[in-house]
Amino acid sequence: MIEAVADITEDAFLGGQLRLKQKRSGHRAGHDAILLAAATTAKAGDRAIDLGAGIGVAGLALARRVAGLRLGLVEIDPVLAELARSNAAANGIAAETIVLDVTADAQAFAANGLVPDSVDVVLMNPPFNDPVRHRGSPDQARHTAHVARDETLNAWVHAARRILRSNGVLTLIWRADGIADVLAALSRGFGSLSILPVHGEAGRPAIRVLVRAVKGGRAPARVLPGLMLNDESGVPKKEVKEILEGRAVLPLAEP
């Protein structure tokens, strides 16, 4: 059941192409979800699953760009899942919403129609803040959405690997200083990695990495030129504005 209207905001994404409701407090969707969608490759007819979808931003942004996508939104929080369901309907996007823990076993996934080797595309924005260095929010939903446990990344990648078809594609976003953990998690069953560092400011280390991986892929890994969100004066770059407004995609999304 969606919370009281006073606790919900309606916000524009993709330059107004999507209008999505989300909780006023707790985790708030932002640029990471839109960058993830812009980095995800998909085509009409593909079955695409957004793991940990929240209110559905990344999956719905992908579906807005790719007509004919068979979209599934997987979310553990029933309130967020209901918002995702409502958001899909309000924006005229066909999507199946599934209330499910991403770390659940294969039987639980299969009971929700996510059997092994049945999905073409997985995109995900797992909780990635380091619990040692990041003080978790007292708001439990926000804490769950932001803070990773030791096993989080491996468990989410394992879930993606299980449901993806051979040569299916996983796209994820993670904090840049955790790239070694990403590479280790993807070393089991994935290859053909493409890595895009994301920098908040010119001359500063990357703050995020977007990674595309192919189940069973054998091509060498490649590191793409970094994406700079802001120029030297701190103003968002033109190409970034185009991506956030849904008028351009990132190189990872190109065939």
Side-chain angles (χ1 to χ4, degrees), residues 32-42 48-51 58 62 65 119-126 153 156-157 160-161 164 168-174 182 186 190 192-196 209-215 250-254:
D32 282 0
I34 298 300
L35 292 175
L36 175 61
T40 300
T41 183
I49 300 298
D50 183 356
L51 293 181
L62 178 63
R65 188 183 92 230
V119 171
D120 303 292
V121 175
V122 170
L123 62 160
M124 64 187 194
N125 179 10
L153 183 58
W156 283 54
V157 170
R161 182 171 58 244
L164 278 168
V169 177
L170 165 64
T171 306
L172 65 88
I173 188 168
W174 195 257
V182 173
L186 293 173
F190 286 98
S192 305
L193 270 58
S194 296
I195 302 165
L196 176 65
V209 285
L210 286 154
V211 182
R212 168 180 165 170
V214 179
K215 182 177 176 178
L250 290 164
L252 298 184
E254 297 171 356

Side-chain angles (χ1 to χ4, degrees), residues 2 8-11 13 18-22 54-57 60 64 73 80-93 95 97:
I2 296 179
I8 300 294
T9 65
E10 183 174 287
D11 303 291
F13 292 85
L18 289 176
R19 295 198 64 85
L20 305 177
K21 292 181 179 178
Q22 59 181 325
I55 64 164
V57 179
L60 295 176
R64 181 59 84 218
L73 305 172
L80 295 181
E82 181 57 30
L83 281 167
R85 182 180 294 111
S86 174
N87 284 333
N91 285 273
I93 296 173
T97 304

Side-chain angles (χ1 to χ4, degrees), residues 101-122:
D101 185 345
V102 175
T103 66
D105 60 21
Q107 185 175 358
F109 268 69
N112 284 278
L114 294 170
V115 298
D117 308 311
S118 65
V119 171
D120 303 292
V121 175
V122 170

Side-chain angles (χ1 to χ4, degrees), residues 90-159:
N91 285 273
I93 296 173
E96 178 186 12
T97 304
I98 301 168
V99 180
L100 179 67
D101 185 345
V102 175
T103 66
D105 60 21
Q107 185 175 358
F109 268 69
N112 284 278
L114 294 170
V115 298
D117 308 311
S118 65
V119 171
D120 303 292
V121 175
V122 170
L123 62 160
M124 64 187 194
N125 179 10
F128 57 55
N129 285 326
D130 185 341
V132 174
R133 292 181 296 163
H134 181 88
R135 183 178 180 181
S137 169
D139 182 291
Q140 186 56 49
R142 186 179 178 90
H143 184 280
T144 300
H146 286 179
V147 179
R149 300 188 300 273
D150 289 342
E151 69 276 13
T152 295
L153 183 58
N154 284 328
W156 283 54
V157 170
H158 176 70

